[in-house]
Amino acid sequence: MNKSRTVIRRHQYADYLNVGTAEAAKWVLMGTGFTTLDEEPGAQTESVKYVNEVSSSSSIVSYETTFPFEAEQIATEEAITAIYEVGRNHYVGADAEFEYCRVELWNPAGAAEDAGHSFEARKFVVAVEVSDFTGENKMTISGNLNAVGDPILGTFDTTALAFAPAA
């Protein structure tokens, strides 16, 4: 098998939501119940055309990252319950913000003793935007996790359920 052509599959990303606090984190997997959890970096560009050139030049000036999601409302799934409560209770501001980690399970990190459970990751603060509660037989929740500020690069230990920022 040619590893240079191995395509990364969706299950090789793990998404965690901190349903605790920044001081006492409680990272829970956003897996069961989530039928969609994508990433849209939302690169923002700026263009300029100089008088002596025919074409414009563009550059990336910022990002407006969102993570669109859809989940079946499963009461025992803590991440779904936390998101549900934001929409149900109309939380705003800091009450609607969580820490969120996107972990690259194909990208091991750290020393050999960490192999198999420490991976490259990015931690975001996200504002939870609940758009819909829908369904007839199964209730679903949909919306976006909207990035607040820049991501923090680091590693995530999937055994200890802990994020460590890069040095």
Side-chain angles (χ1 to χ4, degrees):
M1 182 169 163
N2 185 345
K3 283 188 130 319
S4 66
R5 293 186 184 198
T6 301
V7 174
I8 304 302
R9 299 185 60 188
R10 178 60 183 93
H11 72 274
Q12 292 175 289
Y13 283 94
D15 300 275
Y16 290 87
L17 192 69
N18 179 5
V19 297
T21 64
E23 298 76 30
K26 182 180 181 186
W27 293 100
V28 296
L29 181 65
M30 299 170 79
T32 300
F34 283 86
T35 55
T36 303
L37 184 50
D38 296 328
E39 180 175 356
E40 297 176 358
Q44 305 297 301
T45 61
E46 182 176 87
S47 296
V48 62
K49 183 176 174 285
Y50 297 110
V51 295
N52 64 327
E53 295 177 345
V54 174
S55 300
S56 295
S57 299
S58 295
S59 60
I60 306 296
V61 295
S62 66
Y63 288 86
E64 290 182 17
T65 303
T66 61
F67 300 91
F69 68 86
E70 183 172 286
E72 295 176 345
Q73 190 175 345
I74 300 174
T76 56
E77 292 297 319
E78 291 181 82
I80 295 171
T81 298
I83 290 169
Y84 168 74
E85 289 175 353
V86 168
R88 180 193 72 189
N89 298 338
H90 292 203
Y91 291 155
V92 298
D95 293 336
E97 293 178 358
F98 292 83
E99 291 179 315
Y100 163 71
C101 275
R102 182 151 256 218
V103 182
E104 301 169 351
L105 298 177
W106 77 91
N107 198 359
E113 63 271 10
D114 294 332
H117 59 87
S118 183
F119 302 93
E120 295 291 327
R122 294 168 295 147
K123 182 173 81 170
F124 297 82
V125 172
V126 292
V128 174
E129 169 197 341
V130 177
S131 301
D132 289 305
F133 298 122
T134 60
E136 290 185 29
N137 294 323
K138 291 183 191 177
M139 289 301 295
T140 61
I141 302 168
S142 61
N144 295 300
L145 305 177
N146 298 310
V148 176
D150 295 326
I152 298 170
L153 304 179
T155 59
F156 192 88
D157 185 314
T158 56
T159 302
L161 298 178
F163 176 82

